[in-house]
Amino acid sequence: MKTRFLLLPPLFALAPVITLFANNLGQARPTEMLLPIGASLAFALVLWPLLALLLRGFARSAVALALFLLLFFSYGHVARLIGGVSLGGMSLANPKLLLPMIAIVWLAVARLVRRTPLPPERLATILLVVVLSMLGTSAIGIGRFYAARQPAASGTPVPTAAISAHTPPVRRPDIYYIIFDRYTSAAVLASQYHFDNEPTLDFLRERGFFVAEDSRANYLVTAQSLASSLNLTHILDLTGRVGRESTDWIPVFQMLREHRVARFLKSQGYRYIQVGPKWNVTARNPYADANYPYETLPEFSMILVHTTALYPILYKFGVGRDDIEKFRRINYQLDLLGRLAGREQQPFFVFAHFLVPHGPFVFNRDGTLRAPDVAAAHPERENYLEQLEFVNSRIRELVTRIQQNYPPDTPPVIVIQGDEGPYPGRTQPHAFDWSQVTDDEINEKMRILNAIYAPGCEAAFYPGQTPVNTFRMIFNCYFDTRLELLPDTSYMYRDLHHLYDFIEVTGRLPATAP
């Protein structure tokens, strides 16, 4: 077919997106490809006629464009491969060297394509074989993944009965559920970080919070932990429904989108507000009445941008700089959270997820920006404590501001929790086999901050309560739901190839409170 060259630009525009999706199976949904596919195709279709003018023909320009797209989307991968090689004291991955090198390579190739005696159709055939091989490999991987996927993975994974209020609500307080990701317990901070966090906990106690000194996460990582707490249930049923050897995060992500807390509160006349991080899973919720993300590209699209030759140029203008974006996002959303009471007329539930003290570490303790080179020059635990002290100062401001926004007779409910602790050093490569974890490591990973301000409900709280029971206690107190409390058990998965092979570790997390 002499027109086979027409397939090159669209296929080379599609291939990087589909390959990236294939490399993130179980973490990204197919719909997340739509935006980058549209942008990539538009980019190719704009460049093609321009190249046709330069190369005097659509066939040769299609070949040149295909090679350009291949180089353009390979930039990030090449940078990682040659990052350790230096020339004159400068890394070859430095954009000042790598961008001109890639431009020179492509110009040389374009010149060769223009002058070669080979017909463009033959070149197109060679490139079609290359791109179809890329797409075929990705398609096989995607097909195998979805063919092996348990049927339960495409539906609501853990059935949860509707919650019923047996009598009219005693009161419908505004409810703030605030997650500071990887905020560990005072006991871990004292024993393993040599840091005294009691002043912050004393502040919370003075403001009426119950601090559960022996609290711990119910699950090892954010997605499973929040899926449990927001659905008021353990997620052990997923083992049988999805498979012990599953690598598929989507069933848990779906639980986070369609969670039981929001469904119940919306049935009680609440407005649901989501204040999300960069992480795509909690950045927005399609069932929320209002979403307040800090506007940026969706996570999947940004990962793709990081692989392109456009990224170092955008980086110069602060676009795609994780440190600056995170710094701005956290400040914006904390400020927003403090103002919500004056903006909403009906009772509301706000779920706010902040990726601090979770890395990357972009805050000094005084709230100024911690530059990447400064963070790189210090041990991770030191960076963690800098960011933790920043969080502590903002918690004081936030709690004070929220409580001041309410009259004494209608106080809100404020829950401030960690969802997991920080990763101990050797466990950070995510291929770690958690069945080999030590007691100190599992305590560091699963001990959490858990503080609740719920006036009138204090009698229900106890030192070892865990997040799975948080909303059971709150709903029982304010809505007379009469939900039984669940066992305060904690579980880890074995590894990333066995996400639902749960191992109970409750006995390895002994009580620390007197």
Side-chain angles (χ1 to χ4, degrees), residues 97-150:
L97 286 178
L98 187 54
L99 280 175
M101 286 167 55
I102 286 181
I104 290 169
V105 168
W106 181 77
L107 288 171
V109 168
R111 181 180 176 87
L112 185 63
V113 167
R114 182 179 181 183
R115 296 192 171 189
T116 181
L118 287 174
E121 289 78 11
R122 187 175 299 179
L123 295 173
T125 300
I126 296 170
L127 289 174
L128 275 175
V129 171
V130 171
V131 73
L132 290 174
S133 298
M134 293 168 59
L135 289 168
T137 301
S138 297
I140 290 170
I142 294 169
R144 284 178 176 173
F145 175 81
Y146 282 102
R149 200 177 188 202
Q150 296 285 351

Side-chain angles (χ1 to χ4, degrees), residues 70 141 160 164 215 260 294 361 383 385 415 419 462 499-500:
L70 184 62
T160 51
S164 299
S215 193
R260 201 178 178 193
Y294 182 84
F361 303 103
N383 291 326
L385 291 178
V415 180
D419 56 337
Y462 52 97
L499 294 178
Y500 305 101

Side-chain angles (χ1 to χ4, degrees), residues 277-298:
K278 179 181 179 180
W279 188 43
N280 190 53
V281 182
T282 55
R284 294 175 176 270
N285 190 299
Y287 301 101
D289 297 294
N291 285 283
Y292 290 102
Y294 182 84
E295 293 300 338
T296 185
L297 280 177

Side-chain angles (χ1 to χ4, degrees), residues 17 30-41 296-298 300-301 304:
V17 183
T31 53
E32 293 178 54
M33 291 190 288
L34 295 178
L35 175 61
I37 281 175
S40 186
L41 286 172
T296 185
L297 280 177
F300 181 84
S301 298
L304 183 68

Side-chain angles (χ1 to χ4, degrees), residues 331-342:
N331 280 311
Y332 163 77
Q333 293 179 322
L334 284 168
D335 291 341
L336 170 74
L337 204 56
R339 298 192 304 267
L340 279 179

Side-chain angles (χ1 to χ4, degrees), residues 32-340:
E32 293 178 54
M33 291 190 288
L34 295 178
L35 175 61
I37 281 175
S40 186
L41 286 172
F43 181 53
L45 292 176
V46 168
L47 283 180
W48 195 1
L50 297 177
L51 283 176
L53 291 174
L54 292 173
L55 298 178
R56 299 174 186 173
F58 273 92
R60 292 190 186 278
S61 63
V63 171
L65 178 56
L67 292 168
F68 172 81
L69 292 171
L70 184 62
L71 288 170
F72 179 80
F73 283 103
S74 298
Y75 175 87
H77 305 296
V78 172
R80 280 191 292 274
L81 284 174
I82 65 174
V85 182
S86 297
L87 180 65
M90 181 183 289
S91 169
L92 289 181
N94 189 306
K96 294 178 180 178
L97 286 178
L98 187 54
L99 280 175
M101 286 167 55
I102 286 181
I104 290 169
V105 168
W106 181 77
L107 288 171
V109 168
R111 181 180 176 87
L112 185 63
V113 167
R114 182 179 181 183
R115 296 192 171 189
T116 181
L118 287 174
E121 289 78 11
R122 187 175 299 179
L123 295 173
T125 300
I126 296 170
L127 289 174
L128 275 175
V129 171
V130 171
V131 73
L132 290 174
S133 298
M134 293 168 59
L135 289 168
T137 301
S138 297
I140 290 170
I142 294 169
R144 284 178 176 173
F145 175 81
Y146 282 102
R149 200 177 188 202
Q150 296 285 351
S154 61
T156 302
V158 177
T160 51
I163 304 170
S164 299
H166 291 271
T167 61
V170 176
R171 185 168 67 81
R172 293 192 301 171
D174 290 345
I175 301 174
Y176 296 78
Y177 187 37
I178 305 170
I179 297 295
F180 288 107
D181 208 301
R182 298 189 188 172
Y183 196 129
T184 192
S185 71
V188 167
L189 289 169
S191 64
Q192 299 191 44
Y193 288 70
H194 309 295
F195 178 81
D196 182 10
N197 205 36
E198 285 302 319
T200 295
L201 302 189
D202 286 342
F203 166 82
L204 291 172
R205 294 184 187 104
E206 290 167 5
R207 304 296 302 202
F209 281 76
F210 177 87
V211 178
E213 294 95 336
D214 283 329
S215 193
R216 57 192 180 274
N218 296 106
Y219 295 89
L220 187 71
V221 292
T222 297
Q224 293 178 342
S225 177
L226 293 180
S228 172
S229 63
L230 285 167
N231 285 282
L232 297 76
T233 187
H234 282 292
I235 61 172
L236 303 178
D237 286 355
L238 285 173
T239 303
R241 294 173 60 82
V242 180
R244 192 175 297 275
E245 297 185 355
S246 176
T247 61
D248 188 359
W249 286 105
I250 300 300
V252 173
F253 294 170
Q254 185 170 338
M255 292 181 71
L256 284 171
R257 273 187 295 274
E258 303 173 9
H259 58 84
R260 201 178 178 193
V261 168
R263 293 203 307 267
F264 171 70
L265 289 174
K266 284 171 75 75
S267 76
Q268 298 296 308
Y270 274 71
R271 182 170 164 82
Y272 169 28
I273 299 167
Q274 183 107 342
V275 179
K278 179 181 179 180
W279 188 43
N280 190 53
V281 182
T282 55
R284 294 175 176 270
N285 190 299
Y287 301 101
D289 297 294
N291 285 283
Y292 290 102
Y294 182 84
E295 293 300 338
T296 185
L297 280 177
E299 187 178 26
F300 181 84
S301 298
M302 184 54 73
I303 292 172
L304 183 68
V305 169
H306 276 239
T307 69
T308 72
L310 186 63
Y311 176 65
I313 299 169
L314 294 175
Y315 187 88
K316 285 289 186 182
F317 294 95
V319 179
R321 281 194 60 175
D322 289 340
D323 58 333
I324 292 177
E325 286 192 359
K326 179 173 180 177
F327 180 84
R328 292 171 177 168
R329 179 184 299 109
I330 297 295
N331 280 311
Y332 163 77
Q333 293 179 322
L334 284 168
D335 291 341
L336 170 74
L337 204 56
R339 298 192 304 267
L340 279 179

